[in-house]
Short mmCIF file of all heavy atoms in Angstrom, two decimals:
data_model
loop_
_atom_site.label_atom_id
_atom_site.label_comp_id
_atom_site.label_asym_id
_atom_site.label_seq_id
_atom_site.Cartn_x
_atom_site.Cartn_y
_atom_site.Cartn_z
N PRO A 303 -13.29 -13.48 -2.36
CA PRO A 303 -14.43 -12.55 -2.35
C PRO A 303 -14.09 -11.07 -1.90
O PRO A 303 -13.18 -10.90 -1.01
CB PRO A 303 -15.25 -13.24 -1.12
CG PRO A 303 -14.85 -14.65 -1.10
CD PRO A 303 -13.35 -14.70 -1.54
N VAL A 304 -14.68 -10.14 -2.54
CA VAL A 304 -14.24 -8.77 -2.38
C VAL A 304 -14.32 -8.29 -0.94
O VAL A 304 -13.48 -7.54 -0.36
CB VAL A 304 -14.98 -7.82 -3.41
CG1 VAL A 304 -16.46 -7.64 -2.97
CG2 VAL A 304 -14.20 -6.51 -3.48
N ARG A 305 -15.35 -8.74 -0.23
CA ARG A 305 -15.54 -8.32 1.19
C ARG A 305 -14.37 -8.87 2.00
O ARG A 305 -13.95 -8.22 2.92
CB ARG A 305 -16.90 -8.66 1.78
CG ARG A 305 -17.16 -10.11 1.98
CD ARG A 305 -18.57 -10.27 2.60
NE ARG A 305 -18.76 -11.63 2.99
CZ ARG A 305 -19.20 -12.68 2.11
NH1 ARG A 305 -19.48 -12.34 0.95
NH2 ARG A 305 -19.33 -13.83 2.62
N TRP A 306 -13.95 -10.09 1.81
CA TRP A 306 -12.76 -10.57 2.47
C TRP A 306 -11.55 -9.90 2.07
O TRP A 306 -10.77 -9.41 3.08
CB TRP A 306 -12.50 -12.11 2.15
CG TRP A 306 -13.34 -13.10 2.80
CD1 TRP A 306 -14.63 -12.81 3.35
CD2 TRP A 306 -13.14 -14.40 2.85
NE1 TRP A 306 -15.28 -14.02 3.82
CE2 TRP A 306 -14.21 -15.07 3.56
CE3 TRP A 306 -12.06 -15.34 2.58
CZ2 TRP A 306 -14.30 -16.39 3.85
CZ3 TRP A 306 -12.18 -16.67 2.84
CH2 TRP A 306 -13.27 -17.14 3.51
N PHE A 307 -11.42 -9.60 0.84
CA PHE A 307 -10.26 -8.78 0.38
C PHE A 307 -10.15 -7.47 1.09
O PHE A 307 -9.11 -7.07 1.61
CB PHE A 307 -10.22 -8.66 -1.14
CG PHE A 307 -9.11 -7.86 -1.61
CD1 PHE A 307 -7.85 -8.42 -1.80
CD2 PHE A 307 -9.25 -6.47 -1.96
CE1 PHE A 307 -6.73 -7.63 -2.27
CE2 PHE A 307 -8.27 -5.76 -2.38
CZ PHE A 307 -6.98 -6.37 -2.68
N ILE A 308 -11.27 -6.66 1.07
CA ILE A 308 -11.29 -5.35 1.69
C ILE A 308 -11.07 -5.49 3.21
O ILE A 308 -10.25 -4.78 3.76
CB ILE A 308 -12.60 -4.69 1.41
CG1 ILE A 308 -12.69 -4.33 -0.12
CG2 ILE A 308 -12.73 -3.42 2.28
CD1 ILE A 308 -13.93 -3.75 -0.61
N GLY A 309 -11.67 -6.42 3.84
CA GLY A 309 -11.64 -6.55 5.30
C GLY A 309 -10.25 -6.93 5.72
O GLY A 309 -9.67 -6.26 6.62
N TRP A 310 -9.57 -7.90 5.25
CA TRP A 310 -8.33 -8.51 5.70
C TRP A 310 -7.24 -7.40 5.19
O TRP A 310 -6.27 -7.17 5.87
CB TRP A 310 -8.00 -9.82 4.99
CG TRP A 310 -8.77 -10.84 5.76
CD1 TRP A 310 -9.68 -11.66 5.18
CD2 TRP A 310 -8.78 -11.22 7.14
NE1 TRP A 310 -10.27 -12.52 6.27
CE2 TRP A 310 -9.71 -12.23 7.36
CE3 TRP A 310 -7.94 -10.81 8.18
CZ2 TRP A 310 -9.88 -12.86 8.65
CZ3 TRP A 310 -8.18 -11.47 9.52
CH2 TRP A 310 -9.07 -12.36 9.62
N SER A 311 -7.45 -6.70 3.99
CA SER A 311 -6.49 -5.64 3.64
C SER A 311 -6.45 -4.58 4.53
O SER A 311 -5.41 -4.03 4.77
CB SER A 311 -6.78 -5.27 2.04
OG SER A 311 -6.47 -6.37 1.19
N ALA A 312 -7.71 -4.12 4.84
CA ALA A 312 -7.90 -2.97 5.74
C ALA A 312 -7.18 -3.19 7.05
O ALA A 312 -6.49 -2.31 7.58
CB ALA A 312 -9.33 -2.60 5.97
N LEU A 313 -7.23 -4.42 7.50
CA LEU A 313 -6.55 -4.66 8.77
C LEU A 313 -5.02 -4.49 8.66
O LEU A 313 -4.34 -3.85 9.43
CB LEU A 313 -6.91 -6.05 9.38
CG LEU A 313 -6.29 -6.59 10.62
CD1 LEU A 313 -6.55 -5.67 11.77
CD2 LEU A 313 -6.49 -8.03 10.90
N GLY A 314 -4.48 -5.17 7.63
CA GLY A 314 -3.00 -5.03 7.49
C GLY A 314 -2.53 -3.72 7.03
O GLY A 314 -1.49 -3.29 7.63
N ILE A 315 -3.31 -3.16 6.26
CA ILE A 315 -2.93 -1.60 5.72
C ILE A 315 -2.99 -0.71 6.97
O ILE A 315 -2.05 0.11 7.14
CB ILE A 315 -3.77 -1.17 4.62
CG1 ILE A 315 -3.58 -1.96 3.33
CG2 ILE A 315 -3.71 0.23 4.43
CD1 ILE A 315 -4.56 -1.77 2.23
N THR A 316 -3.97 -0.90 7.79
CA THR A 316 -4.08 0.00 9.00
C THR A 316 -2.91 -0.17 9.96
O THR A 316 -2.25 0.79 10.34
CB THR A 316 -5.35 -0.26 9.82
OG1 THR A 316 -6.47 -0.15 8.99
CG2 THR A 316 -5.52 0.55 11.13
N VAL A 317 -2.45 -1.47 10.24
CA VAL A 317 -1.23 -1.67 11.07
C VAL A 317 0.02 -1.06 10.44
O VAL A 317 0.74 -0.30 11.06
CB VAL A 317 -1.07 -3.16 11.28
CG1 VAL A 317 0.29 -3.54 11.88
CG2 VAL A 317 -2.20 -3.78 12.07
N TRP A 318 0.19 -1.30 9.08
CA TRP A 318 1.46 -0.87 8.38
C TRP A 318 1.45 0.65 8.34
O TRP A 318 2.43 1.25 8.68
CB TRP A 318 1.42 -1.51 6.99
CG TRP A 318 2.63 -0.99 6.24
CD1 TRP A 318 2.70 -0.03 5.21
CD2 TRP A 318 3.92 -1.59 6.15
NE1 TRP A 318 3.96 -0.03 4.62
CE2 TRP A 318 4.74 -0.94 5.22
CE3 TRP A 318 4.50 -2.65 6.87
CZ2 TRP A 318 6.06 -1.16 4.96
CZ3 TRP A 318 5.85 -2.97 6.65
CH2 TRP A 318 6.59 -2.17 5.81
N ASN A 319 0.45 1.22 7.73
CA ASN A 319 0.36 2.69 7.64
C ASN A 319 0.48 3.48 8.97
O ASN A 319 1.21 4.43 9.16
CB ASN A 319 -0.94 3.23 7.00
CG ASN A 319 -0.91 2.78 5.43
OD1 ASN A 319 -0.02 2.13 5.01
ND2 ASN A 319 -1.87 3.30 4.74
N THR A 320 -0.22 2.90 10.00
CA THR A 320 -0.20 3.56 11.34
C THR A 320 1.21 3.61 11.90
O THR A 320 1.69 4.60 12.40
CB THR A 320 -1.17 2.89 12.30
OG1 THR A 320 -2.43 3.02 11.82
CG2 THR A 320 -1.13 3.52 13.68
N ALA A 321 1.89 2.43 11.75
CA ALA A 321 3.24 2.35 12.34
C ALA A 321 4.19 3.28 11.67
O ALA A 321 4.95 4.03 12.29
CB ALA A 321 3.77 0.87 12.16
N LEU A 322 4.21 3.25 10.33
CA LEU A 322 5.14 4.12 9.62
C LEU A 322 4.78 5.65 9.73
O LEU A 322 5.75 6.40 9.83
CB LEU A 322 5.33 3.64 8.09
CG LEU A 322 5.97 2.21 7.97
CD1 LEU A 322 5.99 1.98 6.43
CD2 LEU A 322 7.31 2.19 8.56
N ILE A 323 3.60 5.91 9.43
CA ILE A 323 3.31 7.38 9.53
C ILE A 323 3.51 7.99 10.95
O ILE A 323 4.01 9.01 11.10
CB ILE A 323 1.86 7.62 9.10
CG1 ILE A 323 1.63 7.32 7.57
CG2 ILE A 323 1.43 9.07 9.35
CD1 ILE A 323 0.31 7.38 6.98
N SER A 324 3.14 7.18 12.00
CA SER A 324 3.29 7.59 13.37
C SER A 324 4.83 7.69 13.63
O SER A 324 5.15 8.61 14.38
CB SER A 324 2.67 6.54 14.39
OG SER A 324 1.28 6.55 14.15
N PHE A 325 5.56 6.85 13.20
CA PHE A 325 7.02 6.93 13.40
C PHE A 325 7.54 8.32 12.87
O PHE A 325 8.32 8.97 13.54
CB PHE A 325 7.76 5.80 12.68
CG PHE A 325 9.26 5.95 12.72
CD1 PHE A 325 10.00 5.46 13.90
CD2 PHE A 325 9.99 6.54 11.58
CE1 PHE A 325 11.39 5.59 13.94
CE2 PHE A 325 11.30 6.59 11.88
CZ PHE A 325 12.01 6.19 12.88
N GLY A 326 7.24 8.60 11.63
CA GLY A 326 7.59 9.92 11.10
C GLY A 326 7.11 11.10 11.84
O GLY A 326 7.79 12.14 12.11
N TYR A 327 5.88 10.95 12.29
CA TYR A 327 5.15 11.96 13.05
C TYR A 327 5.91 12.34 14.44
O TYR A 327 6.23 13.41 14.74
CB TYR A 327 3.71 11.65 13.24
CG TYR A 327 2.89 12.69 13.99
CD1 TYR A 327 2.36 13.72 13.23
CD2 TYR A 327 2.61 12.71 15.34
CE1 TYR A 327 1.62 14.79 13.92
CE2 TYR A 327 1.89 13.61 15.99
CZ TYR A 327 1.38 14.68 15.25
OH TYR A 327 0.66 15.69 15.86
N PHE A 328 6.08 11.16 15.21
CA PHE A 328 6.48 11.31 16.48
C PHE A 328 8.11 11.57 16.54
O PHE A 328 8.65 12.05 17.61
CB PHE A 328 6.16 10.11 17.38
CG PHE A 328 4.70 10.14 17.70
CD1 PHE A 328 4.00 9.09 17.20
CD2 PHE A 328 4.06 11.11 18.47
CE1 PHE A 328 2.55 9.08 17.47
CE2 PHE A 328 2.73 11.06 18.74
CZ PHE A 328 1.95 10.09 18.23
N PHE A 329 8.77 11.17 15.56
CA PHE A 329 10.28 11.46 15.45
C PHE A 329 10.64 12.48 14.52
O PHE A 329 11.68 12.55 14.02
CB PHE A 329 11.01 10.17 15.18
CG PHE A 329 10.89 9.14 16.39
CD1 PHE A 329 9.86 8.08 16.23
CD2 PHE A 329 11.61 9.20 17.46
CE1 PHE A 329 9.79 7.23 17.38
CE2 PHE A 329 11.50 8.41 18.55
CZ PHE A 329 10.58 7.36 18.40
#
Side-chain angles (χ1 to χ4, degrees):
V304 73
R305 70 176 186 275
W306 281 22
F307 178 78
I308 291 172
W310 290 113
S311 290
L313 177 63
I315 289 169
T316 300
V317 168
W318 181 262
N319 290 8
T320 300
L322 291 180
I323 292 171
S324 296
F325 175 82
Y327 183 85
F328 290 113
F329 293 101

